[in-house]
Amino acid sequence: MSYRAPVAEMRFAMEASAGLDALGATPGGAPDGETLTQILDAAADFAGREIAPLNWPADRAGASLENGVVRTAPGFVAAYRRYVDNGWNALPFDSAYGGQDLPWSVAVAVQEMWQAASLSFSLCPLLTQGAVELLAHHGNQGQKDAYLAKLVSGEWTGTMNLTEPQAGSDVGALKTRARRDAANDSALGEAYRIVGTKIFITYGEHDMAENIVHMVLARVPEAPPGPKGVSLFLVPKFLPNGQRNDLRCVSLEHKLGINASPTCVMAFGDDGGALGWRIGQEGRGLECMFTMMNNARLTVGLQGIAIAERAYQAACAYAHARVQGRAADSASHEAVAIVRHADVQRMLLDMKSKIEAARALAYSAHLSLDLAARAEDPALRRYHQLRVDLLTPVVKAWATDIGVAAASTGVQIHGGVGFVEETGAAQHYRDARILPIYEGTNGIQANDLAFRKVARDGGAAAHAFAEEVAAIEASLVASGDADLAAIAATLGPAREALARATVSVVASAKDDPQAVGAIAVPYLELFGIVAGGALIAKGAVEASRRMRSGADNAAFFAARIAVARFFADTALARAPGFVHTIAAGRGSAARMAAALA
């Protein structure tokens, strides 16, 4: 049940698949090789030594609520304090508020380590980083001065308060109220009293930080119905004068997984109203909150990769240790480790190839996040902003589906003992299952991709990405390597399938949105397969180049090519089959409506 961060594979994905060197021409650049090595090695040590050992016992212990006080699992408070003291929370943030100004392209690998070490523990900094991004983009100067430095360091933590019992994912249906309290106006902005109940609030109350800064969506009086009537408010647990605010955790959810992460029902305003200050313009709250949500969606996608990696490492270790049955390729009747069995090898390689494809895609999306902010050419900034917008729902949904599938395969490799909690395989599966649900279900992500990110611009961003895939395909062919040529032969039809599917989505979006909704999920899956396959193929080209140049560790580079080839043979090869499903969307929608009537 131990965890060892795959630093070499992470760095390879960062440099070869994502293209970290593109940051060299931007203000701030990228850390030099020695600095990058120090960061990744230190983070790997902290994740493996400090956080990972807490994962299984924390799942057993869970979080508890006593007399309004939430106690986290044993070890979490001390580990979080060391996390803050070592400056890990501050990596990608503005040095003006105590950050280290590192690119997200570097921070992404470090965050994957926290999440793989313990999904429950990592959820606290995940929400805090989103709160930092939200305030940095939308807060007024008084709010930034009062809260950003503490949030950047991690001394204070942040939350996202959207969901209500009657609203679920329909945030526009929320009922939490906000009334003006001009007597408390200050440099923080216009003050309000917040009254309402929020559910599913991750780390809404805990004992790991001195203060918790809640980002709360609520309605002002006379606000119009729907999303345009929602405003956003900063509501701290402790007010600037040190007094406790009028908010509390009334219960903790009993969940399938992530048991050590306190998921709170929060009550605001039991004693007249929790004091908060509006962020941004009235009625623009959901727009502001999307900054935090999009940050969280990319990071949740990363969680899918992280839990898949953790499940893979456990399954691989078990497969090497478990002796059962004889090898099919041997005349001996002596029992062998199950890793010798072809089907176990297939399952492990399936996990491994999907992890590397999803990691390449997530790291590439984070590179675009950096270039959208740092590139000096406005046209390049716009290109990468459109690219990260396009890829965000794919990273969130496709990578989290991979996380669930890999965790399930991990249980399968363990066999009967995988169904027993003590091995830890079951925990990975339970923890992974929330990922396709929170931060917008994967169905919502698929609709976002199809309608907002593809149909809205006539498929321009999707077709621009397809041109990237075509360039990778050309580099595979030009390499002269037989394995790379085989990958190209599979990538080409997959790219063409995605192009045809994109045309179909754009054509149907206006006149038959129900049909597009019916095929949005397979369209997103197709997009993920093609994008992830192309980006690990890009890495395979670099691996081949390094092998030809006589670089050390040829076995490592050969493995990257083998993994990319396996993904092409087993995943990319399926891509053309999606075209029929997507083309049949209109009929599928009608049949579903008839069958479910």
Side-chain angles (χ1 to χ4, degrees), residues 39 68 130 139 147 175 192 213 216 254 280 320 358 364 380 393 398 454 477 512 572 592:
I39 293 169
Y147 289 99
K175 295 181 179 179
Y192 291 76
V213 184
V216 183
H254 301 282
H320 279 87
S364 180
L380 189 60
W398 188 61
V454 173
V477 174
D512 197 352
L572 279 173
M592 283 190 289

Side-chain angles (χ1 to χ4, degrees), residues 318 324 338 347 409-420 423 425:
Y318 181 80
Q324 180 178 296
I338 64 172
M347 287 189 285
T409 300
V411 173
Q412 188 74 14
I413 291 171
H414 279 80
V417 297
F419 205 66
V420 176
T423 65

Side-chain angles (χ1 to χ4, degrees), residues 329-349:
D329 60 353
S330 173
S332 171
H333 289 278
E334 183 179 350
V336 298
I338 64 172
V339 74
R340 289 280 306 278
H341 301 318
D343 189 54
V344 174
Q345 294 173 349
R346 177 195 61 80
M347 287 189 285
L348 287 169
L349 196 47

Side-chain angles (χ1 to χ4, degrees), residues 30-48:
D32 59 59
E34 182 179 353
T35 301
L36 185 58
T37 297
Q38 291 173 346
I39 293 169
L40 297 180
D41 286 348
D45 177 70
F46 190 88

Side-chain angles (χ1 to χ4, degrees), residues 62 66 73 81 115 136 242 257 284 314 324 346-347 354 464 466 519 563:
E66 298 176 4
R81 178 47 50 199
Q115 293 157 4
R284 304 285 292 274
Q324 180 178 296
R346 177 195 61 80
M347 287 189 285
K354 288 176 179 173
I519 55 83
V563 167

Side-chain angles (χ1 to χ4, degrees), residues 6 84 145 208 210 231 323 372 491:
V84 171
D145 291 343
M208 288 161 50
E210 296 176 355
S231 298
V323 175
L491 181 59

Side-chain angles (χ1 to χ4, degrees), residues 523-549:
Y523 177 70
L524 185 146
E525 185 179 359
L526 171 61
F527 207 118
I529 289 170
V530 175
L535 288 164
I536 55 167
K538 179 182 176 183
V541 172
E542 175 62 14
S544 177
R545 186 195 67 78
R546 294 191 193 183
M547 288 179 69
R548 290 195 306 273
S549 68

Side-chain angles (χ1 to χ4, degrees), residues 1-6 10 43-44 46-48 50-56 108-123 126 299-314 355 359 363 424 427-428 431 435:
M1 289 185 285
S2 61
Y3 166 69
R4 177 191 58 80
M10 290 174 163
F46 190 88
E50 298 278 359
I51 302 176
L54 301 175
N55 190 49
W56 192 80
V108 63
V110 175
Q111 289 170 357
E112 182 189 332
M113 295 180 197
W114 313 145
Q115 293 157 4
S118 174
L119 209 57
S120 288
F121 180 90
S122 71
L123 279 164
L126 183 157
T299 312
V300 168
L302 197 63
Q303 287 184 320
I305 299 160
I307 199 69
E309 175 67 38
R310 188 75 188 265
Y312 168 77
Q313 290 190 16
I355 290 166
R359 180 180 288 131
Y363 285 20
Q427 182 192 347
H428 302 323
D431 285 355
L435 304 181

